[in-house]
Amino acid sequence: MRVGVLTGGGDCPGLNAVIRAVVRKGVQEYGYDFIGFRDGWRGPLENDTVPLDIRAVRGILPRGGTILGSSRTNPLKSEDGIRRVKETLVKQEVDALIAIGGEDTLGVAARLSGDYGLRCVGVPKTIDNDLSATDYTFGFDTAVNIATEAIDRLHTTAESHMRVLVVEVMGRHAGWIALHSGLAGGANVILLPEQRFDVDQVCAWVESRFKIRYAPIVVIAEGAMPRDGDAVLKDDTLDSFGHVRLSGVGEWLAKEIEKRTGKEARTTVLGHVQRGGTPSAFDRWLATRFGLHAIDAVRDEDFGKMVALRGTDIIRVPLAEATARIKTVDPSLYAEAEVFFG
Ligand code: F6P
């Protein structure tokens, strides 16, 4: 059996841990051969490969990023994309493909396996934690730790200057990073894409915080939107999955707060810092277990499935089901956090 592996979409800490686990178990226990495809779906599309064996995965467990590279290439976008992907797999004698990615990369895997009979197994990743069917994706815990540490640090400088500090974190459609890091870091306001916010209400919380002589920290997800307005965009170019580039809502909100309250406000955009560097212990553990179970799914010829965390068990769910909708923050979870606002 020869197994192809690819990592697609935005990178996140833990991708290398999956690759290592897949290859180690596949070679040691099942005697499989592996081939890596470079830069997500671009690899099979353009027949761009890299050797993948035990030697190639030595020492990569704690390394961020992905040794295979990543991109947001969408083979379904080009007219002959499916034919080219199929041709590469035949040429490289690939019997099964493990795709490690988020909703976009796995959405392609779902289509290719459902409609075109490709033998795919999916592994869920994304710092946004917005894939349904799994309790957690790896990368999320590391991102939350990075954001929490940043919020901790911002508290002391905010207090020294009695300023409002707005912290913009990632989270396109789902505010999981904002909610978890905001709670863990003791934020005074948390704003998510799931619920439009009222700027006057935010200002009221900011002012009540100053009244008790503390400086407010506002954590906002990049996809959060004011009640009367649209998403704030970096620019309006679209990637090949049709996503716009976000970022800027933190800066916009800081200006509004200054204007409406007269208090000084500054913004910190954490950006890709949240995706870089070494994975947390939890993410290494989860990514490793996903990898071990993904190669078991290949051995069982259980294709069209994604491995997922349910409680402490790793289960398999249909790829089509897992990518049908994203997992957003439930209003009741957000309501829990509101006791700390203001
Ligand atoms: O999907 C994960 C994510 O980190 C989002 O939170 C963010 O909007 C996006 O990727 C940014 O991606 P990039 O800048 O790499 O295109």
Side-chain angles (χ1 to χ4, degrees), residues 318-342:
L319 264 170
E321 191 186 295
T323 54
R325 60 179 181 86
I326 61 160
K327 181 178 68 185
T328 52
V329 175
D330 190 84
S332 66
L333 276 179
Y334 187 57
E336 276 179 11
E338 278 174 3
V339 72
F340 300 107
F341 292 3

Side-chain angles (χ1 to χ4, degrees), residues 7-16 63-67 69-72 100-102 125-128 138-140 143 170 272-277:
T7 53
D11 71 336
C12 81
L15 288 166
N16 286 326
R63 271 177 57 192
T66 160
I67 58 166
S70 193
S71 75
R72 296 190 192 273
I100 309 166
K125 71 87 227 181
T126 164
I127 63 162
D128 289 1
F138 64 87
F140 171 65
M170 280 189 171
H272 294 85
V273 166
Q274 295 159 97
R275 285 205 333 221

Side-chain angles (χ1 to χ4, degrees), residues 5 7 38 64 68 72 90 99-100 121 123 129 163 168 175 182 187-188 192 214 226 246 262 291 316 321:
V5 183
T7 53
R38 278 193 204 277
L68 298 177
R72 296 190 192 273
V90 170
I100 309 166
V121 169
V123 176
N129 196 39
R163 283 172 178 154
E168 184 186 294
N188 311 109
L192 315 179
Y214 285 106
L246 295 172
R316 296 175 197 163
E321 191 186 295

Side-chain angles (χ1 to χ4, degrees), residues 158-181:
E159 300 299 341
S160 305
H161 292 270
M162 276 297 156
R163 283 172 178 154
V164 185
L165 279 178
V166 177
V167 190
E168 184 186 294
V169 297
M170 280 189 171
R172 181 177 286 277
H173 306 293
W176 293 107
I177 298 176
L179 182 68
H180 282 228
S181 64

Side-chain angles (χ1 to χ4, degrees), residues 160-282:
S160 305
H161 292 270
M162 276 297 156
R163 283 172 178 154
V164 185
L165 279 178
V166 177
V167 190
E168 184 186 294
V169 297
M170 280 189 171
R172 181 177 286 277
H173 306 293
W176 293 107
I177 298 176
L179 182 68
H180 282 228
S181 64
L183 269 182
N188 311 109
V189 182
I190 302 173
L191 304 170
L192 315 179
E194 287 85 346
Q195 216 152 305
R196 283 181 179 257
F197 61 87
D198 176 356
V199 184
D200 287 330
Q201 171 66 78
V202 172
C203 291
W205 282 324
V206 160
E207 284 183 317
S208 83
R209 184 76 182 166
F210 276 120
K211 276 200 195 105
I212 53 165
R213 292 162 188 266
Y214 285 106
I217 302 283
V218 178
V219 175
I220 183 164
E222 61 182 355
M225 281 187 268
R227 187 169 287 169
D228 316 303
D230 295 323
V232 180
L233 310 179
K234 189 122 192 136
D235 59 53
D236 52 12
T237 49
L238 300 179
D239 67 22
S240 73
F241 286 93
H243 303 305
V244 286
R245 275 181 78 194
L246 295 172
S247 186
V249 69
E251 193 57 42
W252 177 85
L253 182 61
K255 286 204 179 100
E256 286 299 314
I257 292 172
E258 277 196 342
K259 216 164 45 189
R260 297 182 197 204
T261 66
K263 305 285 186 198
E264 210 183 347
R266 294 279 196 277
T267 314
T268 301
V269 180
L270 293 181
H272 294 85
V273 166
Q274 295 159 97
R275 285 205 333 221
T278 189
S280 66
F282 178 85

Side-chain angles (χ1 to χ4, degrees), residues 43-212:
L45 196 63
E46 297 177 9
N47 190 24
D48 193 355
T49 64
V50 50
L52 196 56
D53 54 16
I54 298 255
R55 212 184 151 90
V57 300
R58 285 244 157 82
I60 65 170
L61 174 63
R63 271 177 57 192
T66 160
I67 58 166
L68 298 177
S70 193
S71 75
R72 296 190 192 273
T73 305
N74 183 355
L76 304 175
K77 264 290 190 76
S78 65
E79 222 173 79
D80 58 349
I82 291 154
R83 180 187 58 76
R84 285 162 63 194
V85 167
K86 278 177 149 178
E87 261 175 30
T88 299
L89 297 183
V90 170
K91 190 169 180 184
Q92 297 294 347
E93 298 177 341
V94 168
D95 303 297
L97 187 64
I98 295 181
I100 309 166
E103 50 159 332
D104 298 327
T105 304
L106 297 185
V108 172
R111 274 286 305 283
L112 292 180
S113 70
D115 298 349
Y116 301 95
L118 259 61
R119 293 153 56 98
C120 295
V121 169
V123 176
K125 71 87 227 181
T126 164
I127 63 162
D128 289 1
N129 196 39
D130 60 357
L131 266 172
S132 55
T134 184
D135 289 352
Y136 287 100
T137 50
F138 64 87
F140 171 65
D141 183 66
T142 308
V144 168
N145 285 330
I146 291 167
T148 304
E149 198 203 327
I151 296 165
D152 287 347
R153 288 174 185 278
L154 290 169
H155 271 294
T156 61
T157 170
E159 300 299 341
S160 305
H161 292 270
M162 276 297 156
R163 283 172 178 154
V164 185
L165 279 178
V166 177
V167 190
E168 184 186 294
V169 297
M170 280 189 171
R172 181 177 286 277
H173 306 293
W176 293 107
I177 298 176
L179 182 68
H180 282 228
S181 64
L183 269 182
N188 311 109
V189 182
I190 302 173
L191 304 170
L192 315 179
E194 287 85 346
Q195 216 152 305
R196 283 181 179 257
F197 61 87
D198 176 356
V199 184
D200 287 330
Q201 171 66 78
V202 172
C203 291
W205 282 324
V206 160
E207 284 183 317
S208 83
R209 184 76 182 166
F210 276 120
K211 276 200 195 105
I212 53 165

